[in-house]
Amino acid sequence: MERTIANLKEMIRAGRGIIPADTVVKGGNLVNVMTSEIYPADVAIYKDMIAAVGDVSDYTGPGTKIIDAEGKYLVPGLIDGHIHSECSKLSITSFAKAVVPCGTTSMISGLDEYISVSGLEGLKEVLAEVKQSPLKVFWGAPYKTPYTIPESTVSFNFTKEVHEEVQQWPECFGVWETVREFLQEEDENTLGAIEQAFKNRLPVFGCAPMARGNDLNGYLCGGVRLDHESYDHEEVVEKMRKGMHMLIRESSVTHFLAENIRAVTEVNPYMARRVSFCTDDVTATDVLEKGHLDNVVRLAIAAGVEPMTAIQMGTINSAEAYRIDHLVGSISPGRIADILLVDSPEEFHVETVITNGQLVAQNKKLTYDLKAPERSTVLKSELKCQKTTKADFEYRVDMINGTADVLAMDVQGPFVRKRRDVVLNVEDGIILPDPEQDVALVSVLERFGRNGNRSLAFCSGWNLKRGAMASSAAPDDNNLIVMGVNPEDMSLAVNYLIEQGGGQVVVADGEIIEFLPLPVGGIASDEEPEVIAAQEKKLNKAAQDLGSTLPEPLMYMFFLPITAIPDYAITDVGPVDYTNLTTFDPVIKLNEQ
């Protein structure tokens, strides 16, 4: 939606009805999110822009295309306020095929997983891919990479000097996902990114799970505008009372809406106008079976939110929070023509999708064949790590036989890991994992050829009884992560991913059970969403056949390197105590026999 003097003249004439509309959406009921009204109105579209709303008879010419919306409700395109689309394992093109038919026409993203594996070169290719897609991405430049304390390894380090360049790009709409601890620790690169944002009048997006009291005050004094991560509705209320825009997250593994929406339904309904939605991390399976932002709107309505309010949360509220409401978020003259035809505000089933003025989806499918671009070597996957052996996944200590008191990272939800003290057997100088006690080994291997780091620690909560599983997609660093109770199977899983150039794999008894290739940077695929969803189910079943009781065993595993939520995580530099912002030794005490 570039504007020059020449095309501004053209757009103004289209708005005045001097130039006829390309398309008119006729006979629908407008859901006006600006005024909280619903009334009959037609919509005139010129190129990618809404030219007029209401009586548009003056805008119809002999070549104007008519879209019949009789009996339907016209809703602005939905905006996902915070998402790592890469976690779906779908490329931008494939992700658009999944979510646009659900009514998601815009998303705010740092595209940071692509940056972690391919730097600015890869990012530019993805941004070019976005321009060929019906899905708009309002890109926020990551506050820094890596996101970890202590600093782990990625292929490209996003610094304050990088911000001086990229914040000038037309694609940049803010600073992405600024983690609280980096402000609290006064990290120079993070503060430099915010300094540039203030100079460029760009908003700073936040990530402050469990931030309350003085820590929250300090965070806000760092200039952060909004947050997408609260663990209960009291946290939402405090953040909103202190001036933040709040995004309620409902992802495939963190179902926060039911709890966080209580800030609106129980505490103060007037808070609703500054609340919006995001999905953060979704699977292809979830989107195909439940929907995307449309499902979140329906969940909010079911939780007691008025349909108009829920639709505002999915549209204009997000646009205003991110300062993009002059472009998207409402069906208004001068905005981009992103329009949904839905059955009713109450049921909210999306039947037709118009993006950038073009009809692109009907009945949950795109109306045309969207092709992924040819991939350059920048985004073709190569895992630059050495092959492993069984010995690489044996935890060796200076004692022949006995027991070891060990700290295992115990998963309690996809991101929260707590301390669990266990006693494990030591045989021939090796601490053994113990499936009966639900204790597995986990390792992260640096895969960009920068230093060859490898870590090893213990974890609980997966209930693996045999075998191993591994993934080269593991936000936010996307190093190679492997978990198992058999070092030989762990080595086989890692070596297979190295040979295949990335993906996800489940191994048992020396055999490859299931494998999903991820050829785009080792984190995504250009396959159809249905193909990825089918393979997701196979991988999860294979992991569950090994004993796992988690709903998404591989997704829970690949979140282990995320350090931004207390208490524990693991990266290529070692197991991390995030409360104290340091690595730790998981062996507490050795007890010689």
Side-chain angles (χ1 to χ4, degrees):
M1 204 179 180
E2 292 179 340
R3 291 293 176 258
T4 63
I5 290 174
N7 72 19
L8 277 168
K9 290 178 180 178
E10 184 183 342
M11 296 301 164
I12 291 165
R13 289 168 190 162
R16 295 176 64 201
I18 297 169
I19 302 174
D22 295 317
T23 304
V24 165
V25 183
K26 194 171 181 62
N29 296 296
L30 177 69
V31 179
N32 192 324
V33 295
M34 305 296 278
T35 61
S36 301
E37 297 176 281
I38 298 175
Y39 50 84
D42 299 336
V43 181
I45 299 169
Y46 181 73
K47 294 188 175 179
D48 64 348
M49 183 191 75
I50 296 167
V53 180
D55 178 1
V56 300
S57 53
D58 290 345
Y59 295 78
T60 306
T64 301
K65 177 184 176 182
I66 305 297
I67 296 177
D68 182 10
E70 190 68 38
K72 306 303 177 187
Y73 290 79
L74 309 183
V75 172
L78 300 174
I79 305 167
D80 192 322
H82 181 99
I83 185 164
H84 303 260
S85 63
E86 306 94 314
C87 289
S88 69
K89 301 175 291 294
L90 300 170
S91 67
I92 284 290
T93 300
S94 296
F95 191 71
K97 290 178 183 180
V99 304
V100 170
C102 299
T104 302
T105 58
S106 296
M107 68 182 195
I108 289 85
S109 179
L111 302 173
D112 44 332
E113 314 305 339
Y114 290 111
I115 296 169
S116 73
V117 299
S118 63
L120 294 187
E121 220 180 330
L123 172 64
K124 288 175 182 177
E125 291 192 16
V126 174
L127 290 172
E129 181 182 358
V130 167
K131 291 177 182 176
Q132 306 305 313
S133 159
L135 177 65
K136 279 176 283 299
V137 178
F138 292 93
W139 178 65
Y143 70 98
K144 68 166 288 179
T145 61
Y147 293 169
T148 46
I149 304 176
E151 186 169 287
S152 54
T153 310
V154 289
S155 75
F156 178 82
N157 292 89
F158 219 99
T159 63
K160 61 182 186 295
E161 289 77 20
V162 175
H163 273 275
E164 291 175 11
E165 174 192 345
V166 302
Q167 287 191 27
Q168 304 302 317
W169 293 3
E171 296 93 345
C172 186
F173 285 85
V175 175
W176 168 258
E177 197 165 14
T178 310
V179 172
R180 171 173 60 95
E181 283 77 8
F182 286 84
L183 271 72
Q184 195 169 294
E185 296 299 306
E186 300 177 7
D187 175 75
E188 290 285 322
N189 281 312
T190 304
L191 300 183
I194 295 173
E195 177 186 23
Q196 286 298 316
F198 270 69
K199 288 178 182 176
N200 295 318
R201 297 182 177 86
L202 292 173
V204 180
F205 318 153
C207 177
M210 307 178 196
R212 307 289 291 268
N214 292 359
D215 285 342
L216 177 58
N217 294 338
Y219 185 63
L220 291 169
C221 289
V224 177
R225 177 177 175 83
L226 52 86
D227 185 35
H228 73 283
E229 193 152 2
S230 295
Y231 275 68
D232 58 47
H233 77 279
E234 288 94 348
E235 187 179 340
V236 172
V237 169
E238 181 177 351
K239 287 174 176 174
M240 294 194 76
R241 284 176 174 167
K242 290 179 175 177
M244 298 189 91
H245 288 265
M246 288 305 303
L247 283 73
I248 289 179
R249 179 172 71 187
E250 181 70 16
S251 78
S252 290
V253 291
T254 49
H255 304 290
F256 283 6
L257 185 139
E259 165 59 25
N260 286 351
I261 204 72
R262 293 172 62 194
V264 172
T265 58
E266 296 179 16
V267 178
N268 184 352
Y270 293 101
M271 288 183 176
R273 198 61 180 82
R274 288 168 65 88
V275 171
S276 50
F277 295 138
C278 73
T279 63
D280 206 350
D281 312 296
V282 292
T283 63
T285 301
D286 240 22
V287 173
L288 295 178
E289 292 181 355
K290 298 177 184 177
H292 190 231
L293 258 290
D294 58 325
N295 178 56
V296 182
V297 171
R298 289 191 293 270
L299 289 173
I301 293 168
V305 176
E306 289 294 323
M308 174 62 78
T309 302
I311 292 168
Q312 288 170 324
M313 289 174 171
T315 57
I316 189 61
N317 292 12
S318 202
E320 290 179 349
Y322 284 97
R323 297 181 185 164
I324 54 175
D325 52 304
H326 61 300
L327 298 173
V328 293
S330 66
I331 301 175
S332 309
R335 271 60 165 197
I336 298 171
D338 291 347
I339 302 169
L340 315 179
L341 276 60
V342 304
D343 56 350
S344 73
E346 295 78 15
E347 299 298 323
F348 205 77
H349 294 113
V350 178
E351 298 178 1
T352 301
V353 181
I354 298 165
T355 68
N356 306 316
Q358 303 296 314
L359 195 157
V360 297
Q362 282 187 307
N363 303 316
K364 298 298 180 189
K365 291 286 182 185
L366 290 185
T367 56
Y368 67 106
D369 187 17
L370 179 63
K371 298 284 190 185
E374 283 293 317
R375 300 295 177 187
S376 77
T377 54
V378 174
L379 274 173
K380 284 185 177 173
S381 180
E382 180 188 1
L383 307 191
K384 298 175 182 176
C385 34
Q386 297 294 317
K387 291 282 192 75
T388 64
T389 67
K390 169 187 175 183
D392 291 311
F393 305 104
E394 294 176 333
Y395 203 107
R396 296 188 172 272
V397 291
D398 293 328
M399 183 180 78
I400 303 300
N401 293 306
T403 62
D405 296 350
V406 166
L407 188 160
M409 298 176 289
D410 189 35
V411 69
Q412 298 180 13
F415 297 112
V416 177
R417 276 84 59 170
K418 296 294 184 182
R419 175 173 179 154
R420 180 182 170 216
D421 288 355
V422 293
V423 178
L424 300 177
N425 289 328
V426 179
E427 295 180 8
D428 297 324
I430 299 168
I431 301 178
L432 302 179
D434 189 343
E436 295 308 309
Q437 287 194 77
D438 179 24
V439 181
L441 290 158
V442 61
S443 175
V444 176
L445 296 83
E446 185 272 321
R447 66 146 168 128
F448 306 112
R450 296 188 69 177
N451 53 39
N453 283 349
R454 293 179 181 178
S455 60
L456 190 60
F458 301 90
C459 61
S460 294
W462 278 262
N463 282 295
L464 293 179
K465 302 302 180 190
R466 58 195 183 96
M469 53 189 184
S471 175
S472 60
D476 291 301
D477 297 347
N478 293 293
N479 283 309
L480 202 165
I481 186 167
V482 59
M483 175 186 295
V485 293
N486 181 315
E488 287 179 314
D489 284 342
M490 292 173 74
S491 178
L492 174 60
V494 166
N495 292 343
Y496 191 76
L497 291 188
I498 293 170
E499 291 165 5
Q500 298 300 317
Q504 294 187 327
V505 66
V506 176
V507 172
D509 305 320
E511 293 185 13
I512 306 299
I513 307 301
E514 291 293 346
F515 171 61
L516 168 63
L518 296 174
V520 183
I523 60 175
S525 170
D526 288 322
E527 283 282 7
E528 295 296 315
E530 291 80 3
V531 173
I532 301 301
Q535 195 57 39
E536 280 177 346
K537 290 180 179 178
K538 289 180 181 179
L539 282 163
N540 282 333
K541 183 180 185 304
Q544 287 160 352
D545 287 346
L546 299 184
S548 180
T549 53
L550 295 174
E552 295 278 351
L554 280 94
M555 204 170 193
Y556 274 59
M557 176 187 72
F558 81 33
F559 286 143
L560 268 171
I562 295 177
T563 64
I565 301 168
D567 295 342
Y568 296 99
I570 184 169
T571 71
D572 67 295
V573 300
V576 175
D577 175 349
Y578 199 62
T579 302
N580 294 306
L581 305 178
T582 184
T583 55
F584 70 94
D585 185 347
V587 180
I588 302 165
K589 182 183 176 187
L590 295 174
N591 310 297
E592 194 158 10
Q593 209 171 53

